[in-house]
Amino acid sequence: MYKILRKAVLAPTLCLFDIEAPLVARKAKPGQFVILRVQEEGERIPLTIADFDREKGTITCVFQEVGKTTMELAKLSEGDSIKDFVGPLGEPSHIEMFGKVVCVGGGVGVAPVHPIARALKEAGNDVTGIIGARTGELLFWEDKMRVACTELRVTTDDGSYVRQGFVTDVLKEVIEEKGDIALCVAIGPLPMMRAVCNMTKEYNIKTVVSLNSIMVDGTGMCGCCRVTVGGQTKFACVDGPEFDGHEVDFAEMARRSVIYKTQEQLAVGRYNNEIEHKCSCGCGGGK
Amino acid sequence: MANAIIPNKHPMPAQDAAVRAKNFNEVALGYDEETVVAEANRCLQCKKEPCRQGCPVEVDIPAFIKLAAERDFAGAIKKLKEKNALPAVCGRVCPQENQCEKYCTLGKKNEPVGIGRIERFCADWELATGVLPQEIAPPTGKKIAVVGSGPSGLTCAADLAKLGHKVTIFEALHVAGGVLMYGIPEFRLPKAVVQAEVQSLKKLGVDIQVNAVVGKFATVDELMEEGGFDAAFLGTGAGLPYFMNIPGENACGVYSANEFLTRTNLMKAYLFPEHDTPIRVGKRVAVLGGGNVAMDAARTALRLGAEESWIVYRRSKNELPARHEEAEHAEEEGVKFAFLTSPTRIIYDDDYWVTGMECLRYELGEPDASGRRSPVPVKGSEYIMDIDTVVVAIGQGPNPLVPRTTKGLECNKKGNIIANLETGATSKPGVYAGGDVVTGAATVILAMGAGRTAAKSIHGYLSGK
């Protein structure tokens, strides 16, 4: 069992946990992920490592409530435990001195981009961070990103905080202002990463994305997470999750990411019914 | 002993094919006490014990059968467990026709003794009545890391623990058992049976750490240098799925057999939504391949509600690598076979979902290096198979995670660890390997035999150290 040492609600439906997992924390590197299972009947889901503390032996995970498992996870409190927690999985980010780099985090993608930005800055890079959310209420870790980056720019789709615009709008400004950018790292929803790649391709800026394919084991034994990169099939869990964004077949990714949409909706509906039932008659959802 | 020879094995009761094709309950129901005693009495107790040469873990077969015939099931299981840590598993999934039962004297003119069935009865008897304590040698103070908790790792761990060593098994998944948990379906090998056998290992003092991916949380070198382990056994199996590399293989509705079976068996997707892991099976399923894994996948597809489940195999029925019994069970349940057929591409709709598969018919040509007649495509024989789900079951390779992260560990071109088959020793001192990661995908019992061999060598290595 893996204990939740700290819980913070960052925004509506956006939750942070510090989870006690010393063996994972000992080896975790930016860019890697974990697979967790909430309870005995649970499914295995991947979450990117947002931070780690080797001394305390903790891994920080930030997740959005998008379905049954993440909703159930968000119901847990400090002191509760998660059944299974395995990692660090995947290849770490490639960190070296590139020069000028841009780190783009969209929505919940701000969390996984954070340790990468920090490592890039520690490696001597001039890191421009760009973070964005649909609305100001959903924006988080502005303070942490400000420390992790050399410079940080913030935007919201609806203009409710700082300014109005997509992260790509800000990225365009940064590229034109700064010139000769050596690397762009973009993590966020699929359409956002795709839009970033379309833009950086025009400017011929190498762009790394972190792919959130559907996974089961996360150790390379099933191929559920397979993606086409540069015309070749890769397993995101062992070959990635980071890939050259200009080589990724995003259309295929998008189709594969909704394979279980019907089942996911069914699971959420059933879960909500259970909770409602629990509240109204106190039978514990058992009947 | 029986007076007259009974020519045939006592039949094993089984669920009716039409009923079982719709449920995940075990197909074969096992003997009752009277039947097992009658079957055990068929054994001639030959002095030469030819059956024993067919058992990769060298079980004293006549002795345990004699005890079973005398209704001393406690004695029989004790005798079995001297050599076999997983009798409830082996009694169910060993291909006995190619092993112990192949050499049975009775089998020369009649049906051999149902050794596997008797083994299964004794093991189930023990699991039902409570696991008996086993003798363990005094502690040696030596620590051994076993990587992987499949059949080879479990056997190696059990043997070493009985010799007094402190054994820790590191397992990447959240439960121990390897292919016994994620691969072989519930209807052939109930998961509760596997877990009961794993529990009896714990009684030997074996520590099992799940959620521990060696090569990620620690490398083999780190375990030995920093973790204080004196030796290591690598039993990481062949868990890397091969794909056909044909167009359309990444379309929605195409699974590797590993994914299909892991979702169903390990994650219990057949119980969705009570269990959270989903699976999607259409009306017409094509399973590519002809091995036991293909049979398991095709039979699983029927149980998940497919109306038609096809085995698509490029050679003919005679060349099927699957056990005869498995193919027969599949056929009884309604699995259909497209022999001498191989897909060239997978066809999908605008939403990227599989709608069909273009296949080519084959004919058998000259025997190849393996002695099997090689399939030759028939020109112009392309046709479209109308299917909506594909399961690729054409084999697996070794997972590269451990070989790639272990310094000085030699592997062959296919990525298999090179180990001496007589000893299990690898190119790295103190590191031993066995099972599918060395041989490529093979059988449960061969992996167990390799685990046993390595345990002997490790014991020798540590005693001399």
Side-chain angles (χ1 to χ4, degrees):
Chain A
M1 298 293 270
Y2 301 82
K3 203 169 175 184
I4 298 164
L5 295 186
R6 184 170 73 96
K7 177 184 183 177
V9 177
L10 300 178
T13 74
L14 205 64
C15 207
L16 174 150
F17 284 153
D18 284 347
I19 296 158
E20 188 175 47
L23 287 181
V24 187
R26 216 180 119 242
K27 283 306 216 40
K29 292 206 175 87
Q32 292 186 296
F33 66 96
V34 296
I35 293 248
L36 62 81
R37 197 168 72 118
V38 182
Q39 39 80 20
E40 191 53 46
E41 282 77 39
E43 60 180 341
R44 295 168 65 98
I45 62 158
L47 288 179
T48 316
I49 293 169
D51 208 345
F52 46 86
D53 187 324
R54 299 202 205 283
E55 279 179 18
K56 282 189 200 153
T58 59
I59 294 287
T60 303
C61 287
V62 174
F63 61 94
Q64 189 155 22
E65 291 176 57
V66 290
K68 195 254 172 179
T69 298
T70 43
M71 287 161 74
E72 187 179 35
L73 196 58
K75 289 267 180 299
L76 298 179
S77 318
E78 282 177 7
D80 288 344
S81 288
I82 293 167
K83 184 104 179 68
D84 297 297
F85 191 87
V86 55
L89 300 173
E91 286 295 309
S93 308
H94 177 69
I95 305 291
E96 62 166 69
M97 174 57 193
F98 294 99
K100 282 185 209 166
V101 302
V102 183
C103 290
V104 189
V108 74
V110 172
V113 100
H114 163 259
I116 301 171
R118 184 175 61 192
L120 284 168
K121 189 179 166 191
E122 280 166 6
N125 291 284
D126 174 5
V127 182
T128 304
I130 301 172
I131 60 172
R134 202 155 36 76
T135 178
E137 203 184 20
L138 296 175
L139 199 84
F140 67 97
W141 278 15
E142 187 183 344
D143 51 342
K144 284 188 79 143
M145 279 299 280
R146 217 168 274 289
V147 178
C149 302
T150 320
E151 184 209 336
L152 183 72
R153 301 188 187 191
V154 180
T155 184
T156 47
D157 296 359
D158 65 356
S160 56
Y161 183 68
V162 181
R163 60 165 281 177
Q164 197 266 324
F166 295 121
V167 287
T168 39
D169 298 330
V170 183
L171 178 61
K172 196 177 172 76
E173 291 165 15
V174 171
I175 293 169
E176 288 181 349
E177 217 175 281
K178 304 222 165 184
D180 62 306
I181 287 162
L183 176 73
C184 174
V185 179
I187 308 180
L190 214 52
M192 172 230 135
M193 291 195 282
R194 194 177 189 172
V196 166
C197 291
N198 286 341
M199 171 170 291
T200 54
K201 197 161 192 175
E202 279 174 37
Y203 291 94
N204 207 15
I205 299 169
K206 184 180 162 62
T207 302
V208 170
V209 293
S210 178
L211 299 182
N212 50 345
S213 345
I214 300 177
M215 290 185 188
V216 181
D217 63 288
T219 60
M221 64 170 260
C222 84
C224 173
C225 63
R226 61 196 192 276
V227 290
T228 302
V229 182
Q232 288 190 315
T233 297
K234 300 275 182 190
F235 290 2
C237 71
V238 288
D239 300 318
E242 293 182 2
F243 292 102
D244 181 338
H246 296 152
E247 302 264 295
V248 171
D249 184 341
F250 280 106
E252 181 183 277
M253 263 289 298
R255 293 297 192 193
R256 287 187 64 84
S257 70
V258 293
I259 288 179
Y260 297 105
K261 203 174 172 187
T262 319
Q263 282 93 333
E264 283 163 7
Q265 285 166 348
L266 179 77
V268 167
R270 190 174 172 274
Y271 182 66
N272 283 334
N273 277 344
E274 258 174 37
I275 290 174
E276 248 173 55
H277 196 68
K278 205 179 265 183
C279 298
S280 57
C281 84
C283 80
K287 286 179 187 169
Chain B
M1 289 296 109
N3 298 325
I5 286 173
I6 301 169
N8 295 324
K9 277 185 201 176
H10 289 79
M12 177 87 115
Q15 276 197 80
D16 180 71
V19 175
R20 73 181 193 234
K22 301 285 170 204
N23 70 47
F24 277 86
N25 300 335
E26 195 171 13
V27 168
L29 301 171
Y31 281 157
D32 59 18
E33 193 173 321
E34 292 317 310
T35 316
V36 81
V37 168
E39 183 64 27
N41 271 313
R42 289 183 67 225
C43 175
L44 301 173
Q45 292 293 321
C46 323
K47 288 255 152 44
K48 282 192 174 170
E49 312 180 322
C51 49
R52 292 188 70 178
Q53 65 177 284
C55 175
V57 294
E58 305 153 3
V59 166
D60 188 346
I61 295 167
F64 101 79
I65 290 186
K66 187 162 187 286
L67 290 161
E70 293 161 357
R71 293 181 198 263
D72 179 3
F73 302 120
I77 192 67
K78 200 172 164 220
K79 187 53 76 181
L80 266 165
K81 282 208 163 169
E82 278 175 12
K83 298 287 186 182
N84 187 345
L86 310 168
V89 170
C90 288
R92 286 173 165 85
V93 303
C94 273
Q96 288 102 1
E97 69 275 16
N98 294 326
Q99 297 176 335
C100 53
E101 294 182 15
K102 184 179 175 181
Y103 299 94
C104 175
T105 308
L106 256 191
K108 285 182 183 153
K109 287 185 180 163
N110 302 289
E111 278 187 10
V113 175
I115 300 168
R117 297 172 179 188
I118 304 170
E119 177 182 33
R120 170 186 163 151
F121 177 89
C122 296
D124 287 356
W125 177 90
E126 187 195 30
L127 295 177
T129 50
V131 174
L132 304 160
Q134 290 190 65
E135 276 175 41
I136 301 172
T140 60
K142 301 286 186 190
K143 277 175 71 182
I144 299 133
V146 170
V147 185
S149 67
S152 71
L154 292 177
T155 304
C156 187
D159 281 7
L160 290 167
K162 282 195 269 185
L163 290 165
H165 302 298
K166 182 71 204 135
V167 182
T168 305
I169 298 182
F170 296 98
E171 166 56 47
L173 290 171
H174 56 264
V175 289
V179 75
L180 309 175
M181 286 306 289
Y182 74 77
I184 303 176
E186 182 82 22
F187 55 83
R188 281 215 291 138
L189 179 63
K191 301 309 142 210
V193 168
V194 181
Q195 287 312 301
E197 303 239 78
V198 168
Q199 286 309 315
S200 61
L201 272 194
K202 286 188 181 166
K203 288 194 177 162
L204 295 173
V206 173
D207 180 30
I208 302 180
Q209 291 202 19
V210 294
N211 295 321
V213 186
V214 172
K216 287 295 178 185
F217 87 92
T219 63
V220 171
D221 293 289
E222 285 165 342
L223 288 176
M224 295 186 67
E225 284 157 23
E226 299 160 28
F229 287 95
D230 301 291
F233 173 74
L234 311 179
T236 50
L240 178 78
Y242 290 146
F243 284 91
M244 300 276 297
N245 295 318
I246 55 173
E249 217 169 9
N250 289 349
C252 303
V254 182
Y255 287 97
S256 73
N258 269 6
E259 181 187 354
F260 192 71
L261 293 172
T262 300
R263 283 181 181 273
T264 315
N265 299 321
L266 180 72
M267 305 310 298
K268 302 205 183 299
Y270 65 94
L271 296 175
F272 180 87
E274 282 76 35
H275 285 247
D276 292 335
T277 304
I279 194 159
R280 254 190 93 142
V281 174
K283 290 195 167 77
R284 292 167 58 97
V285 179
V287 178
L288 314 182
N292 288 323
V293 175
M295 299 304 146
D296 285 345
R299 298 171 72 191
T300 296
L302 284 180
R303 286 161 171 82
L304 290 168
E307 287 167 14
E308 277 183 33
S309 178
W310 287 86
I311 291 275
V312 178
Y313 181 53
R314 65 193 184 117
R315 299 180 199 244
S316 74
K317 188 171 186 172
N318 293 330
E319 287 81 23
L320 273 181
R323 274 181 86 185
H324 179 67
E325 188 189 326
E326 298 307 324
E328 211 167 60
H329 278 161
E331 205 172 348
E332 283 167 16
E333 289 166 13
V335 170
K336 297 179 179 179
F337 291 80
F339 290 116
L340 293 164
T341 305
S342 189
T344 48
R345 68 186 170 98
I346 290 162
I347 302 160
Y348 47 85
D349 63 15
D350 290 346
D351 290 329
Y352 211 46
W353 279 94
V354 175
T355 56
M357 187 165 76
E358 188 186 78
C359 295
L360 209 55
R361 295 203 198 276
Y362 280 63
E363 56 190 16
L364 289 181
E366 295 302 308
D368 63 12
S370 74
R372 294 189 302 177
R373 294 178 65 191
S374 48
V376 184
V378 179
K379 269 188 189 160
S381 66
E382 292 90 345
Y383 74 104
I384 305 285
M385 213 177 157
D386 178 22
I387 44 113
D388 52 19
T389 307
V390 179
V391 180
V392 185
I394 57 166
Q396 300 98 238
N399 189 312
L401 218 47
V402 170
R404 228 185 250 167
T405 55
T406 310
K407 274 179 251 150
L409 187 68
E410 281 175 26
C411 294
N412 67 18
K413 273 184 199 159
K414 285 182 175 172
N416 295 105
I417 296 173
I418 298 172
N420 182 326
L421 293 179
E422 309 282 314
T423 63
T426 68
S427 56
K428 203 173 160 74
V431 177
Y432 295 75
D436 286 2
V437 74
V438 172
T439 57
T443 61
V444 167
I445 190 69
L446 284 176
M448 290 175 64
R452 146 116 348 122
T453 302
K456 276 183 201 160
S457 306
I458 292 172
H459 183 60
Y461 168 79
L462 293 177
S463 305
K465 208 176 170 182

